[in-house]
Structures are given as C-alpha cells and as structure tokens.
Amino acid sequence: MIPTLLGIMIINFSLTQFVPGGPIEQILAELEGGGDVFEGISGGGSELVEGGDSDYIGGRGLPADFIADLEREFGFDKPPLERFLTMMWNYMRLDFGESYFRSISVLDLVLEKMPVSITLGLWSTLIAYMISIPLGIKKAVRDGTPFDTWTSGAIIVGYAIPGFLFAILLIVLFAGGSYFRLFPLRGLTSANFEELSLIGKVLDYFWHITLPVLASTISAFATLTLLTKNSFLDEIKKQYVMTARAKGLSERRVLYGHVFRNGMLIVISGFPALFIGVFFGGSLIIETLFSLDGLGRLGFEAAVARDYPVVFGTLFAFSLIGLIVGIITDLTYVLIDPRIDFEARN
C-alpha cells in the first residue's frame, strides 16, 4: 500500500508541474480582466503585455512584489521537492489544508458535497444488486432458453447506452423537456423541504432522485448480472451438485442450500469495494444535467481552477481508502471461503 500510494502521489504531483495555468496565473488572469487564464496561454491575452519580455509574468502590468507575495502565500516560492515533502507530511497527519479559492478546509468541502454522491451511488448500487442477483441466478438456471437470450440482449443494450444520453432522454420525456413534467429537474429537495412533514420529506427526496438514480444505474446491471450468472453456472456443473440431486433433494434446496454460498463468493467479496465506492464516487455529467453539486463537479472545478489542495487532498484520501478496501476485499474472500487461505492449508 505505501509504495503504491506514494507512486500515485509522485506521478500526479509531477504532472502538475508541467501543466500551464497554475493558481497564480488564474488569479492574475482575473485581476487583469482577461477572463480565463487559458486565453493568455493560447495567445489571446498577448495584448495585455506592453513592451518587455512577454514571458515575464510581471510584464502584464502587476507589480513583481505583489506576484512574489502571491507565490509566497500559496507556497510556490519553494522548490517542488520541498513542497511535495511538506504536503505528504501534512497528509500523513490527516491535515489536507484549505481550498485556494473557497476559504474552506478540503475535508469540510468534501463532506459538504458527499450527500449528492452518496445518494446517487448508494441507491444505484442497491437497485443494481436487488435486480442483478436474482436475474443472474434465474439466467443460470434457465441457461440457453429464450428467457436467457432476450434478457442478455436487453442488459447488453442497457450497458451500451451512455448514462448521460439516458439522462437526457429521461429529462426530455419526464422532466418537462418535450412531453411530461412528472419529476423536478434540479436539486435533492424542494425549496420548502423544511416545511414538509416527515412523510412529505421522504416522498420529496425520492421524487427528486428518481431520474438521476435511474440514469446512474442503467449501465450497472450488465456486469453484475453476467458475473452472477457465470458464477452460478460454474457451480451448477460441479460434482457436489450432481451428488445432491442424486440424493433426491429438490432443485430449490440444491440451488439455495448448496450452490448459493459458493456461487455468491465473487459477488459478495466485491461488495466492500462497491459499498465504500458509493461514498466517494461522482458523475460529473449526471450531476450537471440534474443541477446536483456533488464530488464529480467538485473534482472537475478543482482541476480547472488548479485548486491543488482539493485535487491532491481528495486524491490522497480516496487512493488510501481504495487500497484499504482492496485488502478488506481479499480478507472477505477468506471469510466466505476458507479454502482460499493457502497459508493455513500449508
């Protein structure tokens, strides 16, 4: 975990040293009234330079002392290696710093955006599991039948449809685009949410999340359904299943009393990663289409604005959590099926 996490941070920190338009340039572009810093990079801001070397940032009309103070405030007066070591030391103490442009700590900013990502990720995962596992089991039992064929075609078509395209279709059909206005188009709750009763709040919440959750779930069925089907097919063909049938056990008893535990090994072992992932996932396009402010938009805006504390703080935290979940997933394999613990067997 340690070298992997260190490698992730080194590679990404190194890449940012070669990317034009850092936070200092962003501020200078705004102060000069040039709009986006990238206009100056592409040549659109060359008219701001009045004589002198066009590469000299102070030649844009701002005092060199002011620019030096900015660099000192953001820590860019120090060499890259020193900045990287300081950043990693702070992260090891769980000090992720403060956003350059929002005057709020990175941790508070992430916590502020998480409700949207949790809503989309949690409900999408639950719906996918509730539909895909029973469907995958039924497809395995009825392998090769017309039911198996047309359901496979349906989930592959769903997997092929991009989530954002399905989201646009839902908006056009059901959110007042061209046909029906059955669902709201923005936010997790209504403006009068606090005035509603408890039941009213629950209904209002589900009313708002229906379309974005459907758009996020459309492509989640295929992988999980086919994984469940193939896992159960492998188990159904094994010798212990034939033995159970020879003893006169019913198909339902064979399937859920013997096959289910072994067949669900791969599916269940991957659940920790999915469960943790829903808290830190984000879909930029889905959030934008439905006017939701989640981690997807936060990551995009931080990257565009070169808000490095947000970019690197979230990268470190999510990478560390991902590596820990990877270990938890491996341990889950052993808990579900002790035969995988090869050290114990030796």
Side-chain angles (χ1 to χ4, degrees):
M1 286 176 54
I2 294 175
T4 302
L5 182 61
L6 188 61
I8 292 173
M9 299 303 297
I10 289 175
I11 291 173
N12 285 276
F13 184 86
S14 300
L15 289 174
T16 60
Q17 306 309 306
F18 302 100
V19 177
I24 301 296
E25 286 76 10
Q26 295 277 0
I27 295 175
L28 293 177
E30 292 181 6
L31 292 176
E32 290 286 0
D36 195 336
V37 66
F38 301 107
E39 295 176 6
I41 295 170
S42 61
S46 58
E47 69 274 11
L48 296 174
V49 180
E50 298 179 0
D53 186 0
S54 61
D55 292 332
Y56 174 52
I57 199 169
R60 297 182 179 181
L62 292 172
D65 292 342
F66 173 76
I67 297 171
D69 290 339
L70 275 179
E71 292 178 344
R72 193 177 305 108
E73 180 180 350
F74 285 100
F76 288 101
D77 58 325
K78 301 174 183 177
L81 179 59
E82 183 178 348
R83 286 190 282 120
F84 176 78
L85 293 176
T86 301
M87 179 184 73
M88 293 302 297
W89 171 246
N90 291 333
Y91 287 176
M92 289 172 62
R93 295 179 294 160
L94 300 182
D95 178 10
F96 298 106
E98 187 175 283
S99 169
Y100 283 157
F101 306 108
R102 307 196 188 204
S103 299
I104 183 175
S105 71
V106 174
L107 185 59
D108 291 339
L109 191 58
V110 170
L111 293 176
E112 178 185 316
K113 309 297 182 183
M114 275 183 63
V116 170
S117 299
I118 291 175
T119 293
L120 294 180
L122 183 61
W123 288 112
S124 298
T125 302
L126 289 177
I127 292 173
Y129 265 81
M130 290 172 62
I131 295 177
S132 296
I133 292 177
L135 180 59
I137 294 173
K138 191 168 185 179
K139 284 173 63 64
V141 174
R142 302 178 63 177
D143 182 44
T145 63
F147 172 82
D148 179 43
T149 303
W150 74 260
T151 52
S152 294
I155 62 174
I156 290 174
V157 169
Y159 183 75
I161 298 176
F164 74 90
L165 189 61
F166 188 60
I168 294 174
L169 177 64
L170 292 175
I171 291 173
V172 170
L173 292 178
F174 303 113
S178 299
Y179 297 92
F180 307 101
R181 192 176 184 83
L182 302 178
F183 297 95
L185 190 55
R186 61 179 62 245
L188 285 181
T189 55
S190 300
N192 63 336
F193 181 77
E194 296 299 331
E195 303 172 4
L196 300 175
S197 63
L198 178 59
I199 297 178
K201 289 181 179 180
V202 172
L203 294 176
D204 182 75
Y205 171 74
F206 283 108
W207 183 47
H208 278 76
I209 70 171
T210 298
L211 296 187
V213 167
L214 286 177
S216 303
T217 310
I218 183 66
S219 62
F221 294 111
T223 302
L224 188 57
T225 301
L226 296 179
L227 179 66
T228 303
K229 175 194 172 183
N230 293 333
S231 179
F232 272 77
L233 274 179
D234 289 341
E235 294 298 322
I236 288 174
K237 297 175 181 178
K238 290 184 178 179
Q239 185 66 43
Y240 74 90
V241 176
M242 299 180 185
T243 304
R245 286 172 175 166
K247 291 181 177 179
L249 296 180
S250 64
E251 283 296 317
R252 184 178 183 83
R253 179 71 181 276
V254 171
L255 184 63
Y256 293 101
H258 296 272
V259 176
F260 187 81
R261 178 182 177 183
N262 295 328
M264 289 296 293
L265 172 62
I266 297 178
V267 178
I268 296 176
S269 61
F271 185 76
L274 281 174
F275 184 74
I276 297 298
V278 301
F279 289 92
F280 303 103
S283 174
L284 169 63
I285 300 180
I286 299 296
E287 291 175 10
T288 302
L289 287 174
F290 291 99
S291 300
L292 300 172
D293 193 10
L295 292 177
R297 291 183 64 181
L298 172 64
F300 174 75
E301 292 171 358
V304 170
R306 303 296 191 267
D307 198 345
Y308 291 149
V310 177
V311 173
F312 290 119
T314 54
L315 176 67
F316 178 88
F318 297 166
S319 298
L320 178 61
I321 291 171
L323 293 170
I324 293 174
V325 169
I327 293 180
I328 295 175
T329 300
D330 292 340
L331 295 175
T332 306
Y333 273 110
V334 179
L335 291 175
I336 296 174
D337 189 353
R339 295 173 300 174
I340 297 176
D341 191 349
F342 297 111
E343 288 188 10
R345 291 171 62 182
N346 291 334

